[in-house]
Amino acid sequence: MHTVAVLALDQVVAADMATPIEVFGRARLADGRRPYQVRVCAATPRVASETFTLIAPYGLEALREADTIVVPGCSDQAAPPDQEVLEALSAAAAAGTRIASICAGAFILAAAGLLDGLSATTHWVAARRLAELFPLVDVRPDVLYVDNGQILTSAGAAAGLDLCLHIIRRDFGSVVAADSARLSVMPLEREGGQAQFIVTAQPPVPQGSLLEPVLSWVEDNLAEEVTLAAMAVRSGLSERTFSRRFREQTGTTPLQWLLRARVRRAQLLLETTDHGVERIAAQAGFGSPTAFRERFKRVVGVTPRSYRSSFRTAAS
């Protein structure tokens, strides 16, 4: 039987911890046998979270005996894990144990040095912070999970379910994984990645900046043809100077900013109106419905139709 150790630390996120316990604990082979034994372990006998106190039945010694270790996220990402925990994870990794994180659990793996030189993900809200704190990690904020073989990471809480099902499929095949997915009322594979959930806010512009009136004008005229030359003219600068200052103040180029603004406008229209793709493409300033579909899927990760079916809130 494959042993899964779920590591509960202080301020553990309940959903992150419960997901691997339930998914691996409920998995069954075709003959009804349990393929996994799940153990909840901790560095201390009692683990405090924001809403409950957990008495862990196993200590860190369970990590040495596990085939897979799952590290849930903690609500306080800035709190450094105990050195004892980091050393136990490092020792398990050195012994070849598979280690996976859910959501902000990636911060703990990174603190242990297990993500250095690897691609990894976490909840999109925390992705930038992970990249800043651990520059040796290639943070990918747009995916549901990353499988590096021995080390795996997943995005927010629901993506932990995607990761657990992926692990079951790796271990015991698609039939067992599909059965586990049905028990979880979850598709075995979700369309798209985490990108569709990211709020594509524009880069901040300093108050009083010469860019403020220009970008307000752009937002008001997304349905029209907006060129770099037109933006530069409204700023009173040459195109070259405007582009340089734009990048200095926003971290991106004027045209990339414009594309993001158009995609965000399209997302809003898909969420709140009944308008067809052709009309939305025109309202957001895309040259054609085809160009709109291609750009939207490249940025968001799913088609406009799929996005609307997931996020539609109300018709105007």
Side-chain angles (χ1 to χ4, degrees):
M1 184 177 287
H2 189 109
T3 300
V4 177
V6 180
L7 178 60
L9 303 176
D10 276 342
Q11 303 305 313
V12 65
V13 177
D16 293 1
M17 182 181 67
T19 294
I21 293 172
E22 288 296 305
V23 175
F24 291 119
R26 290 176 179 271
R28 294 293 185 273
L29 300 178
D31 59 8
R33 288 182 296 121
R34 295 172 179 262
Y36 296 102
Q37 174 181 246
V38 181
R39 295 177 174 175
V40 178
C41 61
T44 56
R46 298 171 70 88
V47 176
S49 81
E50 292 183 345
T51 54
F52 62 88
T53 298
L54 169 73
I55 299 176
Y58 296 92
L60 292 180
E61 72 280 353
L63 302 185
R64 295 193 297 269
E65 303 165 0
D67 300 294
T68 296
I69 298 169
V70 180
V71 182
C74 297
S75 57
D76 187 359
Q77 300 160 10
D82 292 341
Q83 189 61 33
E84 184 183 13
V85 171
L86 300 182
E87 291 175 356
L89 289 171
S90 296
T97 304
R98 180 171 61 192
I99 303 177
S101 67
I102 295 178
C103 197
F107 284 79
I108 300 167
L109 300 196
L114 303 185
L115 299 181
D116 288 357
L118 297 179
S119 296
T121 193
T122 187
H123 193 292
W124 61 268
V125 169
R128 176 174 293 182
R129 188 176 190 184
L130 182 65
E132 291 172 348
L133 291 176
F134 303 100
L136 296 181
V137 181
D138 175 20
V139 180
R140 301 181 58 193
D142 58 341
V143 298
L144 294 174
Y145 59 84
V146 175
D147 182 351
N148 290 294
Q150 182 187 2
I151 308 296
L152 305 91
T153 54
S154 67
L161 183 52
D162 293 283
L163 178 62
C164 291
L165 293 172
H166 170 72
I167 289 173
I168 293 174
R169 181 168 50 187
R170 265 184 50 174
D171 291 344
F172 298 103
S174 295
V175 172
V176 175
D179 183 61
S180 296
R182 282 190 289 271
L183 287 173
S184 300
V185 195
M186 174 81 177
L188 184 54
E189 289 188 22
R190 284 197 282 167
E191 182 180 3
Q194 193 178 185
Q196 61 190 300
F197 303 100
I198 297 175
V199 178
T200 55
Q202 300 299 346
V205 178
Q207 288 188 348
S209 164
L210 65 85
L211 295 183
E212 278 192 292
V214 177
L215 298 185
S216 294
W217 173 78
V218 172
E219 290 277 7
D220 291 339
N221 292 275
L222 287 176
E224 309 301 325
E225 182 180 2
V226 177
T227 64
L228 174 59
M231 286 189 275
V233 167
R234 296 195 73 85
S235 71
L237 301 172
S238 68
E239 290 185 32
R240 183 174 180 179
T241 301
F242 176 74
S243 295
R244 184 180 71 250
R245 292 191 181 178
F246 196 100
R247 181 178 285 278
E248 289 172 352
Q249 294 186 30
T250 68
T252 189
T253 68
L255 294 182
Q256 286 299 317
W257 194 97
L258 174 62
L259 285 171
R260 287 181 62 180
R262 283 179 164 155
V263 168
R264 182 65 196 111
R265 175 66 56 81
Q267 287 178 299
L268 179 63
L269 292 169
L270 288 166
E271 292 167 11
T272 61
T273 74
D274 284 324
H275 300 171
V277 168
E278 292 78 6
R279 184 175 176 183
I280 290 176
Q283 289 175 307
F286 289 94
S288 68
T290 299
F292 165 54
R293 291 187 181 95
E294 291 177 352
R295 172 60 62 173
F296 190 91
K297 186 168 185 179
R298 189 180 309 162
V299 173
V300 183
V302 294
T303 65
R305 175 179 290 183
S306 294
Y307 183 87
R308 168 171 273 168
S309 66
S310 296
F311 297 101
R312 171 81 176 278
T313 56
S316 61

